[in-house]
Amino acid sequence: MSEPDYHVSVPFFKPSIGKEEEEAVINVLRSGWLSTAKESLTFEKEFSDFIKSRHCLAVNSNTSGLVLAMEACGIKQGTKILTTPYTFISTATSALHLGGEVVYADIEEDNYSISPERIEERLKEDSSIKAIVPVHIGGNVCDMRAINEIAAKYHVKVIEDAAHAFPALTKDGYAGTLGDIGVFSFYATKTITTGEGGMIATDDDELAHRMSVMRLHGIDRSVWDRYTSNKTSWEYDVVAPGFKCNLPDILAALGRVQLTKANMFFEKRKKLVELYNKLFMDCDFLRLPPDSEGNSWHLYLMRIVPEKLNITRNELSNMLQAKGIGLSMHFIPHFHMTYMKKRYNITPEMFPNAQRQYETTLTIPLWPDMPEEMVEYTAETIKNICKEHYVG
């Protein structure tokens, strides 16, 4: 096919922002109240209704949400979380910020999800593990039934890192509502965005109360309550050494509009994924992304079959970027990160599945308003390069 006029630049991602989002933010600016107030509270209620969770708490990032969730679940000095090395670094460092430690379990052989079998092996070995933190990489949902059964057997909490998972709907409910606590991300590249931000979801009243208090300095009253209540506005108590994790109304207003478009964005993503899959269908040198019930399709994780090519993933990446195609890689495993590999003496050989996926995976462009011509150009460019380096 002929190259489109804009072939010099296929962005990895572009947020889908319209006039509705602009007007919502301007209304907050004109209101005179810019921090956390009724927009954030309404966003929490609307998000809670969407995913059917008893409690939702808006926070300024997924990372902040993970810290709050882990603290509420008892992560502190002398306790550990169990997670995957195949995730963004904050999944692990959130525990370190609390004085806790990290234990790793390898992912499954054919996808990016943490292995329930490896989880149970680690729990048998270490009684100081207090929480399992599965990560729904790219929106592909982990085996939460198996993970929850194991968690119940060993009396540990389950905190879903659902940064990629909205709106991933399974027969058991939305990913992020399947464990004790789920934490979503609204970063600029996510399925809906507030620029920066996140949401915590839980059906547990006690955990919700603890996270609510710890979200804003351990104060027993919200700012909006102090402003609107008949009780003296300046009176409050500090009941715990909390954090500063609240989501401002400017960002919440953006999130509220994005939430109304979530299903539309999802349908657009699915159509683009179907097009990618169709274009790659007959390529024995590529593997399509793993799929599961309810996949949110936040990312398109394309994998090369190294035995079929005489170039590496990195070499392919460089060739594609030279053609103007934006790329990323989800994720560089923690055993390649200087700090974590030194702290825990972890090596690629200890996690063969994670290492194999890392060596062969590229994340290619995908966003709701991506023109089909860009998808076609991206796919054809990948195929042409791979065919030039095909060894069969």
Side-chain angles (χ1 to χ4, degrees):
M1 61 173 289
S2 61
E3 296 178 351
D5 292 339
Y6 44 72
H7 74 274
V8 293
S9 180
V10 179
F12 174 68
F13 182 83
K14 290 180 68 175
S16 298
I17 302 293
K19 289 184 178 179
E20 302 94 335
E21 286 88 347
E22 294 175 6
E23 291 172 359
V25 171
I26 289 171
N27 287 339
V28 173
L29 292 174
R30 290 174 176 167
S31 75
W33 189 285
L34 307 184
S35 188
T36 302
K38 60 182 179 180
E39 285 290 330
S40 297
L41 294 173
T42 305
F43 185 30
E44 290 176 344
K45 175 64 167 58
E46 291 170 346
F47 198 85
S48 178
D49 290 342
F50 192 108
I51 63 171
K52 296 178 173 56
S53 177
R54 185 175 174 85
H55 303 282
C56 281
L57 301 172
V59 287
N60 55 19
S61 70
N62 170 269
T63 302
S64 294
L66 287 172
V67 171
L68 290 171
M70 291 179 191
E71 196 278 340
C73 289
I75 301 304
K76 57 185 178 181
Q77 195 78 33
T79 66
K80 301 172 183 174
I81 66 161
L82 171 58
T83 193
T84 164
Y86 207 98
T87 179
F88 188 60
I89 195 65
S90 63
T91 308
T93 54
S94 295
L96 302 186
H97 294 320
L98 296 166
E101 297 292 346
V102 182
V103 175
Y104 290 108
D106 202 2
I107 60 177
E108 296 182 282
E109 185 175 355
D110 295 325
N111 62 46
Y112 302 90
S113 299
I114 190 168
S115 164
E117 184 179 352
R118 301 285 91 77
I119 287 174
E120 185 152 24
E121 288 176 0
R122 298 294 179 268
L123 288 172
K124 286 178 180 178
E125 298 167 354
D126 195 336
S127 62
S128 62
I129 296 170
K130 299 302 179 185
I132 305 167
V133 187
V135 186
H136 307 300
I137 302 295
N140 186 51
V141 183
C142 297
D143 187 348
M144 291 304 299
R145 285 192 175 188
I147 291 171
N148 285 332
E149 288 176 4
I150 294 168
K153 179 179 177 180
Y154 291 89
H155 307 290
V156 300
K157 297 291 188 182
V158 176
I159 302 169
E160 294 173 77
D161 186 337
H164 294 183
F166 183 74
L169 179 60
T170 75
K171 66 181 69 174
D172 296 319
Y174 281 96
T177 68
L178 305 177
D180 294 286
I181 302 174
V183 187
F184 299 90
S185 173
F186 305 138
Y187 181 65
T189 61
K190 296 303 188 291
T191 51
I192 67 169
T193 184
T194 58
E196 293 278 2
M199 190 75 74
I200 307 170
T202 185
D203 288 334
D204 188 300
D205 295 347
E206 187 175 329
L207 291 175
H209 176 72
R210 177 65 179 183
M211 291 186 290
S212 179
V213 169
M214 295 299 286
R215 175 174 55 171
L216 192 61
H217 303 296
I219 294 173
D220 65 344
R221 294 178 66 194
S222 72
V223 175
W224 188 240
D225 175 65
R226 301 200 313 261
Y227 179 73
T228 59
S229 173
N230 292 328
K231 183 181 177 181
T232 308
S233 62
W234 52 263
E235 281 190 335
Y236 63 86
D237 191 14
V238 174
V239 297
F243 308 99
K244 182 72 164 66
C245 303
N246 57 301
L247 184 74
D249 265 19
I250 294 175
L251 304 186
L254 180 58
R256 289 185 62 200
V257 177
Q258 288 270 295
L259 183 61
T260 67
K261 301 179 180 181
N263 286 326
M264 176 185 69
F265 289 161
F266 176 55
E267 291 302 320
K268 287 184 174 183
R269 284 178 177 276
K270 283 202 300 183
K271 288 182 180 179
L272 295 175
V273 167
E274 289 169 2
L275 178 55
Y276 267 134
N277 287 348
K278 179 181 177 181
L279 293 169
F280 289 140
M281 185 180 303
D282 297 325
C283 300
D284 67 345
F285 46 83
L286 299 175
R287 288 180 180 158
L288 302 182
D291 195 5
S292 66
E293 179 197 7
N295 198 332
S296 71
W297 289 115
H298 167 49
L299 300 172
Y300 194 93
L301 302 172
M302 184 199 76
R303 294 175 288 172
I304 65 168
V305 179
E307 297 81 11
K308 300 285 185 179
L309 302 172
N310 62 11
I311 54 173
T312 65
R313 184 275 316 275
N314 286 1
E315 289 170 330
L316 174 59
S317 174
N318 291 338
M319 293 175 187
L320 291 171
Q321 288 179 311
K323 295 284 189 178
I325 296 173
L327 301 168
S328 189
M329 199 283 142
H330 295 79
F331 285 101
I332 303 173
H334 294 189
F335 46 76
H336 286 294
M337 302 293 183
T338 298
Y339 180 80
M340 301 306 280
K341 67 183 181 182
K342 286 185 176 180
R343 185 180 184 106
Y344 294 113
N345 193 29
I346 49 179
T347 65
E349 293 74 23
M350 298 168 66
F351 307 94
N353 294 339
Q355 177 60 17
R356 187 182 309 109
Q357 298 293 55
Y358 168 61
E359 290 175 345
T360 59
T361 295
L362 268 181
T363 313
I364 62 177
L366 176 66
W367 72 92
D369 294 325
M370 185 177 179
E372 289 190 0
E373 292 84 358
M374 282 192 176
V375 173
E376 291 168 353
Y377 173 70
T378 300
E380 290 301 319
T381 304
I382 291 168
K383 288 162 66 175
N384 289 339
I385 292 173
C386 288
K387 286 175 181 177
E388 289 175 6
H389 295 274
Y390 186 75
V391 295

